[in-house]
Amino acid sequence: MSEKVLIVDNISKRFGGLQATNQVSFHVNQNEILGIIGPNGAGKSTLFNLITGFYFIDSGAITYKGERIDGLTPDKICHKGITRTFQVARPFGGLSVADNILVACLPKSKKVSEARERVHEVLKIVGLEKKADALGADLTTLERKRLELGKALATNPEVLLLDEVMTGLKPAEMDEMMELIKELRKTKTIVVVEHVMRVIMNISDRIIVLDHGQKIAEGLPKEIAEDPIVIEAYLGRGTK
């Protein structure tokens, strides 16, 4: 049986009168790709912010490799091995692609020389070796997405949280990104928030569905696609 690397147990978060997440529970197995879907405002990005310490939970618990991490700051959670990407890729425009990656490598490196070695590894993984000297401001949408992923990988995470990495990409570019994510799962545990159903159904081992801050379904991609509750809450709302 696969090890449960990350356990989210009955967590809730309220912002004033808005219940962003309501008693959400799930787990992620080692080297699994877990997909998270739901309508806009369902609480998907809030969930990522809670796991990575950008927000504190009101109740419940988040456990990583047997240790409670709720209440820790984002840098401490990152140091333990959980890193996320963001929906909008914002590279340091005045820095080269290599230096963007270097900035992300430094906190976990003992020496700058060690960080520079890691930069070359990451550039190769995300397919940006030929763009190493290009400025962040001059990248295409796909290249920005790859750089955003590269900055996350630079921290050498065990668990990688991907927040809508397909937004703005063309179908062929999505296919490239899907192959990259599938390759990463050989050494990483991955959680993906995504709106593009073709993507989420193709890369996920399991999927959970959120609606109005609550988990309404969990199962294999085929089960989720055929679930009447999911179809009513999400798939029937003009999903891409």
Side-chain angles (χ1 to χ4, degrees):
M1 181 178 291
S2 299
E3 178 189 357
K4 294 180 180 180
V5 177
L6 181 67
I7 300 174
V8 173
D9 184 18
N10 214 33
I11 65 169
S12 295
K13 180 65 178 180
R14 177 181 290 275
F15 297 101
L18 174 65
Q19 188 72 51
T21 59
N22 188 10
Q23 298 183 328
V24 173
S25 296
F26 63 91
H27 71 272
V28 191
N29 297 317
Q30 188 171 21
N31 298 121
E32 178 182 39
I33 298 180
L34 177 71
I36 301 178
I37 64 174
N40 288 330
K44 304 182 299 296
S45 292
T46 297
L47 186 59
F48 271 17
N49 285 329
L50 293 170
I51 293 171
T52 52
F54 286 89
Y55 299 151
F56 291 148
I57 62 175
D58 294 334
S59 60
I62 302 173
T63 306
Y64 172 59
K65 297 172 71 173
E67 178 186 358
R68 286 280 296 268
I69 60 170
D70 49 279
L72 297 182
T73 55
D75 60 308
K76 290 181 179 178
I77 291 173
C78 178
H79 191 76
K80 287 184 179 296
I82 300 177
T83 302
R84 64 167 297 178
T85 65
F86 292 87
Q87 288 182 26
V88 181
R90 292 192 177 95
F92 298 111
L95 296 182
S96 68
V97 168
D99 284 344
N100 267 270
I101 300 293
L102 178 63
V103 170
C105 286
L106 288 172
K108 277 195 171 182
S109 303
K110 296 179 180 178
K111 299 178 181 179
V112 174
S113 59
E114 179 184 320
R116 291 193 184 281
E117 289 180 9
R118 177 67 180 156
V119 168
H120 294 297
E121 295 174 12
V122 173
L123 288 174
K124 185 176 181 180
I125 291 171
V126 298
L128 289 176
E129 309 104 301
K130 295 181 179 179
K131 288 286 183 174
D133 297 325
L135 291 179
D138 296 334
L139 300 181
T140 65
T141 299
L142 176 60
E143 290 165 349
R144 284 175 178 245
K145 292 287 187 179
R146 286 180 176 268
L147 178 55
E148 177 74 7
L149 179 56
K151 289 193 293 183
L153 290 173
T155 68
N156 199 25
E158 294 184 45
V159 176
L160 184 61
L161 310 182
L162 304 179
D163 196 353
E164 296 191 25
V165 292
M166 303 293 173
T167 301
L169 299 186
K170 300 173 183 176
E173 294 172 335
M174 289 182 189
D175 291 340
E176 288 182 34
M177 190 65 80
M178 280 194 286
E179 288 306 311
L180 176 54
I181 293 171
K182 289 177 182 178
E183 185 66 23
L184 288 173
R185 69 94 54 85
K186 295 178 180 178
T187 58
K188 309 291 181 187
T189 299
I190 301 174
V191 184
V192 182
V193 162
E194 191 53 70
H195 277 298
V196 184
M197 297 310 300
R198 178 174 71 88
V199 171
I200 209 77
M201 292 295 172
N202 273 282
I203 65 173
S204 302
D205 297 304
R206 288 187 299 123
I207 296 173
I208 67 171
V209 187
L210 300 180
D211 191 27
H212 298 296
Q214 292 184 305
K215 187 179 80 172
I216 62 170
E218 177 177 344
L220 301 176
K222 186 176 186 297
E223 296 170 341
I224 294 299
E226 297 173 354
D227 189 321
I229 297 175
V230 176
I231 293 170
E232 180 181 356
Y234 184 56
L235 297 180
R237 297 184 185 180
T239 304
K240 293 183 280 186

